[in-house]
Amino acid sequence: MTFSLFTPKNRIINLVLNDHSIRFLELKQTDPPSAQRWSERFLPPGIISDGKIADIDSLTTILEECIDEWKMRRRSIRFLVPDPLVIIRKVSIPVEIQDDEIKGYLYLELGSSIHLPFEEPVFDYYRLSENEKTKNLLLFAAPEHHVMEYANLFSSLKLNPIAADISPLALYRLYHQLSQVDQNEILFTVHFDLTSVNLCIFEGSAPVVMRPFALSFEHDKWDIKRDSRGLMECKYTSDAEELVVQFEDIFNEINKLIDFYRYTLNKEKQDITKFLLNGDHPMLEAIVEEMRERFEVPVELISFETKGKAGSVPSNLLLSLGLALKEVQ
């Protein structure tokens, strides 16, 4: 399942931009696949905000430096649509709508029978099931203006954007590569980054509900530098209790989303069977341990042992790796 805007090609660079970083990874075509090279660059606050480009001049300058340093010029790229821009909805359409007519039908219904919190969406869909009267779909949508702002920026810098995806699918793709996935599993993914958290619940391989949340980030309370590998090293220098309050808010949101899934989406038919965590937050392992204390279902921290010539892929590059795996599945 993909969130496709363009046509895939070979030798693809996989880019992940969020409010605080730019990351890239290139996958080597082997069996099993291995990551050939990767890197990341910290973004100062105010350049990307809630997934939207806020300072395009500064972002352009930084991207130009990254392209030169990472030797990416004139390469084809995939990128992730930032979580705050993405909407996932279950929708039903008449069963008589033919498969090759679905996208046109959805386009006509957006803004009338299908309501989104923005106009002019770019969208894709995934078929779930059908009965005698309806076809049930998952609709993935994002504001076209903001998505194309990224695509146009990449193009202006001599990159070739050929595909866009969303982070829950990239994470699930990696999870599927690693595990013997139970098709009846109800997986709750938690992507816990320095400046945001994204919660998503999967039924099988379908992400049926997603909730992104921003974290308060005060740059002067963090010591952020590059380690010997050129990767971000983050350490909180203020009162740790301030972070604990943030974590408590997120645990409350996790409980709310579990209840929403259990009682509203699923009518108490099924419940969460596993948590899967990933992210770049430096306290991620402590978050995992706290969740194991609070919740009665298993909590798993995803890791990937594939080797590239630079060693094992760091945990904060795993979304980029999940994005890269599209070309080998």
Side-chain angles (χ1 to χ4, degrees):
M1 177 170 40
T2 62
F3 184 72
S4 301
L5 306 180
F6 313 97
T7 304
K9 296 181 181 179
N10 294 324
R11 285 198 78 224
I12 301 170
I13 294 290
N14 300 277
L15 275 180
V16 176
L17 284 75
N18 56 34
D19 285 12
H20 65 280
S21 68
I22 303 173
R23 290 167 175 146
F24 100 97
L25 182 142
E26 184 177 358
L27 198 67
K28 187 176 181 180
Q29 294 288 353
T30 57
D31 188 17
S34 66
Q36 186 173 25
R37 60 193 188 102
W38 58 80
S39 194
E40 66 179 341
R41 171 78 174 263
F42 178 72
L43 281 180
I47 294 178
I48 298 177
S49 181
D50 293 329
K52 301 171 185 177
I53 298 174
D55 184 346
I56 194 164
D57 292 337
S58 295
L59 183 58
T60 299
T61 299
I62 292 172
L63 269 173
E64 285 178 329
E65 294 172 357
C66 291
I67 289 168
D68 289 339
E69 180 183 348
W70 300 338
K71 297 178 173 56
M72 298 192 307
R73 197 168 300 279
R74 302 188 186 281
R75 297 290 298 274
S76 295
I77 65 166
R78 296 188 191 91
F79 67 98
L80 289 183
V81 179
D83 294 332
L85 304 181
V86 178
I87 294 289
I88 299 177
R89 290 271 175 84
K90 276 187 174 183
V91 298
S92 297
I93 64 173
V95 72
E96 58 266 20
I97 303 297
Q98 299 300 308
D99 288 354
D100 60 356
E101 299 172 343
I102 290 177
K103 197 146 194 176
Y105 179 87
L106 291 172
Y107 182 81
L108 292 174
E109 293 301 310
L110 287 169
S112 55
S113 65
I114 301 173
H115 297 284
L116 296 173
F118 44 78
E119 297 180 353
E120 300 296 330
V122 59
F123 67 91
D124 208 341
Y125 68 91
Y126 174 72
R127 289 191 57 174
L128 293 173
S129 61
E130 66 177 80
N131 54 41
E132 294 180 355
K133 294 183 178 181
T134 61
K135 292 179 178 179
N136 301 308
L137 313 172
L138 272 180
L139 178 69
F140 305 89
E144 183 178 34
H145 167 72
H146 294 299
V147 175
M148 296 310 299
E149 190 172 21
Y150 282 99
N152 292 336
L153 174 58
F154 298 144
S155 296
S156 73
L157 296 173
K158 304 296 190 293
L159 299 175
N160 178 28
I162 53 131
D165 204 353
I166 63 175
S167 67
L169 294 183
L171 182 59
Y172 188 87
R173 191 178 298 114
L174 181 59
Y175 172 67
H176 189 272
Q177 177 89 4
L178 291 170
S179 307
Q180 295 292 323
V181 177
D182 181 356
Q183 292 304 310
N184 296 319
E185 186 171 65
I186 308 298
L187 185 71
F188 193 132
T189 64
V190 181
H191 187 82
F192 215 119
D193 271 347
L194 196 64
T195 58
S196 65
V197 179
N198 194 45
L199 311 178
C200 187
I201 297 177
F202 284 79
E203 292 180 348
S205 61
V208 295
V209 60
M210 185 181 89
R211 296 285 189 272
F213 299 95
L215 293 178
S216 175
F217 178 75
E218 297 179 64
H219 185 262
D220 59 355
K221 294 183 178 181
W222 289 87
D223 177 25
I224 300 174
K225 56 188 178 182
R226 299 180 77 172
D227 65 13
S228 59
R229 301 170 297 170
L231 302 179
M232 286 166 45
E233 190 175 78
C234 306
K235 182 178 180 181
Y236 195 64
T237 59
S238 189
D239 184 0
E241 284 299 314
E242 297 176 4
L243 293 183
V244 172
V245 172
Q246 286 189 351
F247 300 161
E248 194 65 40
D249 290 342
I250 295 302
F251 295 147
N252 289 336
E253 294 297 342
I254 289 172
N255 277 316
K256 289 178 185 177
L257 192 56
I258 290 174
D259 287 344
F260 175 74
Y261 176 77
R262 178 185 294 146
Y263 301 116
T264 303
L265 285 187
N266 207 254
K267 309 300 183 186
E268 300 186 68
K269 295 176 184 176
Q270 291 176 296
D271 214 337
I272 305 301
T273 59
K274 183 191 287 187
F275 286 104
L276 182 70
L277 269 72
N278 174 241
D280 67 22
H281 201 286
M283 295 181 67
L284 190 61
E285 291 189 4
I287 294 166
V288 170
E289 291 306 313
E290 181 64 23
M291 288 185 62
R292 286 172 176 160
E293 290 289 327
R294 288 171 178 255
F295 299 101
E296 296 180 355
V297 298
V299 180
E300 180 179 320
L301 181 62
I302 192 169
S303 61
F304 197 65
E305 295 301 324
T306 184
K307 298 286 184 178
K309 62 182 181 182
S312 295
V313 179
S315 60
N316 53 344
L317 272 294
L318 291 181
L319 267 189
S320 304
L321 180 57
L323 180 61
L325 287 173
K326 284 178 64 173
E327 65 187 37
V328 295
Q329 291 189 345

